[in-house]
Amino acid sequence: MPVLCPSSSSFFTCFLILFSLITINSCNCLAIVSNTKRPPRQLSVNYYTKSCPQVERLIGSITSQQFKEAPVSAPATIRLFFHDCFVEGCDGSILLAKKPGSNILAEKDAEDNKDLRNEGFDTVMRAKALVESKCPGIVSCADILAIAARDFVHLAGGPYYQVKKGRRDGKISTATRVPNNIPHANSTVDQLIKLFSSKGLTVQDLVVLSGAHTIGFAHCKHFVGRLYDYKGTKQPDPSIDPRLLKALKMSCPHVGGNADIVAPFDVTTPFVFDHAYYANLEAKLGLLASDQGLFLDPRTKPLVQSLGQDKVKFFQAFSAAMDKMGSIGVERGRRHGEIRKDCSMHM
């Protein structure tokens, strides 16, 4: 359910209540793709039409149940999909556990991935088990993750779009590949544009995909610098609305705060997938410096304004951008990938 705050004063009272009660893990920001650029291979919406025609219905039965039982599964799984695609491409490598006896950490063990919610992993594992019971050895974990992410976008109020399928599961998952490919909460627009461009994603894709922050939460550590010592000035970030600044400071002290406390990316409709994220940036209500920067930079500001005025336009653009991102570095063919029976283990 959305948090309803009809007036300015009651809005921030409502926000403070929400902020003080929520202690869930969250993403800090959108991830960025790996440096290794592979041309996208052909995927198809109808890939499983003959081999497993009921695949989307099976996955949908799991995602709808998960959303009812644990709504945080939505941002958790969407984030998981981003992190999968941004490191080594959309190949399910984020799901792999470290090999027993090995000293090499897997992607999921990287510092930047340690706060990935279990609900995201659980959703994929549950969906995989059900799909395997009906279509053994047919559907990849990478495709299941892509479909589940779409389902949660729609369940949270966002668009329903067709998911192209045919990915195979990657065989490489190492933590060392993660740090340079995950943007940070204080990433500049220059840094974000460069990283997105390295995978063939445009400035528009950057702004549109950032709209996934319409749901989800971030820990204090990812924005506390904006509250007390922005860029070494010993002063708060001037681009934060004073009311939001006051609310955030009450729950996030400069030092010694509760490490589990989080705040919503979208302080107006934190549980609804809509376009309020963009209006929030215009109103200086962006939580992360990397988000607020999109409204401050002349290259991205017009896109923020346009998307903030038209939800239909945002939904259409988001669907297209997710399709584009979902094709990054996909694994196709036995030589390049596999179909895991257990998403956390190589065959």
Side-chain angles (χ1 to χ4, degrees):
M1 294 291 292
V3 177
L4 301 177
C5 305
S7 68
S8 175
S9 60
S10 62
F11 158 69
F12 278 95
T13 300
C14 183
F15 170 73
L16 278 172
I17 294 173
L18 171 70
F19 189 31
S20 63
L21 291 178
I22 296 175
T23 56
I24 62 174
N25 287 331
S26 63
C27 64
N28 56 335
C29 51
L30 285 181
I32 301 301
V33 295
S34 67
N35 293 328
T36 304
K37 184 174 181 179
R38 295 191 295 254
R41 296 173 175 84
Q42 192 65 39
L43 301 176
S44 169
V45 170
N46 301 316
Y47 188 81
Y48 297 112
T49 297
K50 294 183 179 180
S51 59
C52 190
Q54 70 273 44
V55 59
E56 296 208 22
R57 178 176 57 80
L58 294 172
I59 297 171
S61 68
I62 297 297
T63 52
S64 60
Q65 182 181 0
Q66 284 280 105
F67 189 70
K68 292 177 182 177
E69 296 176 353
V72 73
S73 299
T77 306
I78 296 168
R79 185 192 182 199
L80 195 61
F81 183 52
F82 279 128
H83 280 229
D84 185 40
C85 292
F86 294 158
V87 181
E88 294 300 317
C90 310
D91 63 352
S93 55
I94 188 66
L95 304 168
L96 285 169
K98 186 182 76 166
K99 293 181 180 179
S102 173
N103 293 324
I104 300 176
L105 298 178
E107 285 177 31
K108 65 186 297 185
D109 302 315
E111 188 64 33
D112 293 295
N113 285 335
K114 284 186 176 179
D115 63 345
L116 290 173
R117 294 277 306 179
N118 286 332
E119 287 84 353
F121 292 98
D122 291 344
T123 295
V124 177
M125 299 307 176
R126 289 180 61 189
K128 176 62 172 176
L130 179 58
V131 171
E132 280 294 306
S133 71
K134 305 296 182 181
C135 308
I138 299 296
V139 183
S140 68
C141 300
D143 277 345
I144 289 175
L145 176 54
I147 294 168
R150 183 279 313 278
D151 285 357
F152 281 124
V153 167
H154 185 60
L155 287 166
Y160 183 92
Y161 53 90
Q162 295 293 327
V163 175
K164 293 176 182 175
K165 297 169 281 290
R167 302 166 187 81
R168 291 180 73 86
D169 297 323
K171 300 178 180 180
I172 299 174
S173 180
T174 58
T176 56
R177 296 176 184 265
V178 174
N180 293 331
N181 300 308
I182 304 295
H184 300 99
N186 60 352
S187 292
T188 66
V189 174
D190 276 336
Q191 291 169 331
L192 295 176
I193 289 176
K194 181 178 179 180
L195 288 164
F196 269 71
S197 177
S198 72
K199 283 295 179 175
L201 297 174
T202 65
V203 173
Q204 175 171 312
D205 295 327
L206 162 62
V207 178
V208 170
L209 290 171
S210 294
H213 280 179
T214 183
I215 56 175
F217 304 83
H219 288 91
C220 293
K221 66 180 180 180
H222 297 303
F223 56 84
V224 70
R226 298 185 70 202
L227 311 183
Y228 301 97
D229 187 17
Y230 183 62
K231 294 184 176 180
T233 62
K234 306 298 183 183
Q235 297 295 323
D237 184 344
S239 66
I240 301 180
D241 181 280
R243 299 166 300 164
L244 178 60
L245 176 64
K246 180 179 179 180
L248 293 174
K249 279 186 169 183
M250 290 180 68
S251 294
C252 293
H254 197 185
V255 293
N258 185 338
D260 293 327
I261 291 291
V262 299
F265 289 121
D266 177 350
V267 299
T268 54
T269 57
F271 303 109
V272 180
F273 196 102
D274 57 20
H275 66 318
Y277 163 84
Y278 299 104
N280 291 341
L281 299 186
E282 294 192 63
K284 296 185 175 183
L285 297 176
L287 184 65
L288 305 182
S290 56
D291 284 331
Q292 193 61 52
L294 297 177
F295 183 71
L296 301 175
D297 192 289
R299 293 167 294 181
T300 49
K301 180 177 180 178
L303 292 166
V304 170
Q305 293 174 315
S306 176
L307 295 170
Q309 295 169 358
D310 192 336
K311 183 169 75 170
V312 173
K313 182 177 182 179
F314 167 54
F315 279 10
Q316 292 173 341
F318 188 81
S319 298
M322 287 291 278
D323 176 70
K324 188 175 179 181
M325 185 192 73
S327 298
I328 295 172
V330 297
E331 298 286 5
R332 291 293 309 280
R334 294 181 182 276
R335 186 168 63 89
H336 301 287
E338 60 189 5
I339 303 295
R340 297 184 214 126
K341 294 185 181 298
D342 181 337
C343 292
S344 66
M345 298 174 58
H346 283 297
M347 292 182 63

